[in-house]
Amino acid sequence: MAASIISDFWAWWIGELTSLFPRHSAMVTRDDRVVVQVAQRSCNIELRDRNGDHFTEGVADDRVGEHIAELTNNRRCELVLREGRYLARFLSANRLPFSRAYEMALIDLSEDTPFSSSDMYIGFAATDAKTAGTEYFAIKRDRLDPILESLRRAKLTPTDIRLERAAGLTSLSAKSLVNMHPAFRHRNRVAFGFAAAAVMLLLLSFATLVHAYYRFHDASQQLASEIAQKQKSALEVRRQLDNQAKDVAALAIVDKQKAQAVPVVLIWEELTRLLPDTAWITDLSFGRDGLTFSGSSVAAASLIPILDASPLFQDATFVSPVVRMPGEKGERFAIRLKVGRE
């Protein structure tokens, strides 16, 4: 059962593939054609070549091969069975697999016709996607065997069997021909070769797709690695740029502070210029809050207005109360002020 299913699937698949291409018989040119017409009691041979057409009537079945060999070097021919040389029987309105149709044809031939299945060849028409229904054709063995034997002796190859019908010529399927007679085994090899070529094409296409996928996958991984490395480098550059910007900002602040800062020499010179001769400085210190100095003066209170009047000093105040020390003429003071340029 499984073998029949596989065989049917194989026949269907080959038929679907070969239906995509012109049939061999349709590709035979007018300059290279030998047709054996199977008539009622004899055969007619139609030869078409470059030298012209040749038609011979009344050739005996067992002399067909020898006669063709005398006429041409062409080693291939096709058989055409005229009406009345076969029996056409309808089986089903559906397309049936070969094995199922063959079994039904054997039953129909035995039960509904006067012929025995051992005396008849059973064949089916070559179908395509547009073919509807199933019918079979029964051909007498004693009518076909002498012709095929004659072709074998002459080393000629029958390529096809066609049936003359009212609608035109009908070709038998390759599966039917191979099943009918060993003379058509080459059709099996052709079908197998075609299928092998199709399978090889599919395998090559699949291998190409797999190769392309892995190439794309590798390229994607390399690209992702390069992108990650570039991103890491970009982050490092960004970090360096941020640090550089911070350093530049810090330098700008330092430069600004430096530009606003007042040199000690200038502060000392300004104090020397402002303080009267009656004032002395005994201690001088610089801090974040500004300048702090202490000393003595005859009139310490008068020093605050003098210092505030300077453009270099601001907010001059006494740090501690002014005191007069016993035995001294001046007053002790301690003053804090801010230093800065306006």
Side-chain angles (χ1 to χ4, degrees), residues 30-44:
R30 190 180 187 278
D31 294 334
D32 190 16
R33 185 180 182 190
V34 179
V35 179
V36 178
Q37 298 179 356
V38 182
Q40 184 173 2
R41 297 184 180 274
S42 60
C43 295
N44 302 328

Side-chain angles (χ1 to χ4, degrees), residues 3 8 12 17 20 27 34 41 70 73 99 125 143 181 197-198 200 247 249 287 290 309 324 328 341:
D8 291 339
W12 168 81
L17 290 178
L20 300 176
M27 293 188 290
V34 179
R41 297 184 180 274
E70 293 174 358
N73 293 326
S99 60
R143 189 71 180 89
H181 198 276
M200 183 62 65
D247 293 341
R324 182 178 296 275
E328 294 183 1
R341 296 176 179 175

Side-chain angles (χ1 to χ4, degrees), residues 295-297 300 318 320-326 328-334:
S296 61
S297 175
F318 288 109
S320 60
V322 177
V323 296
R324 182 178 296 275
M325 301 300 294
E328 294 183 1
K329 296 181 180 180
E331 297 172 339
R332 289 280 184 175
F333 66 88

Side-chain angles (χ1 to χ4, degrees), residues 157-283:
T157 302
T159 60
D160 201 356
I161 293 181
R162 292 185 168 192
L163 310 177
E164 279 189 353
R165 310 190 72 182
L169 292 176
T170 298
S171 295
L172 296 184
S173 66
K175 180 73 172 177
S176 298
L177 295 175
V178 173
N179 188 67
M180 285 171 59
H181 198 276
F184 295 97
R185 287 178 180 173
H186 65 280
R187 294 295 297 268
N188 227 3
R189 294 193 296 270
V190 172
F192 180 80
F194 187 85
V199 171
M200 183 62 65
L201 179 61
L202 291 176
L203 290 177
L204 290 176
S205 300
F206 178 75
T208 302
L209 290 175
V210 171
H211 177 68
Y213 170 77
Y214 280 108
R215 287 287 301 273
F216 176 78
H217 182 67
D218 291 341
S220 299
Q221 286 186 335
Q222 292 179 1
L223 181 61
S225 177
E226 292 181 2
I227 290 175
Q229 185 176 0
K230 297 298 183 183
Q231 287 178 342
K232 183 177 180 181
S233 300
L235 291 175
E236 180 63 22
V237 172
R238 172 57 59 187
R239 187 185 64 80
Q240 294 178 359
L241 289 175
D242 291 341
N243 292 337
Q244 185 178 4
K246 291 178 180 179
D247 293 341
V248 171
L251 289 175
I253 293 174
V254 171
D255 289 341
K256 183 177 180 181
Q257 292 177 350
K258 183 178 179 181
Q260 294 176 349
V262 180
V264 177
V265 175
L266 184 61
I267 295 173
W268 182 256
E269 181 181 354
E270 183 70 4
L271 285 175
T272 304
R273 185 182 65 85
L274 292 176
L275 295 178
D277 295 338
T278 57
W280 294 269
I281 296 176
T282 58
D283 185 42

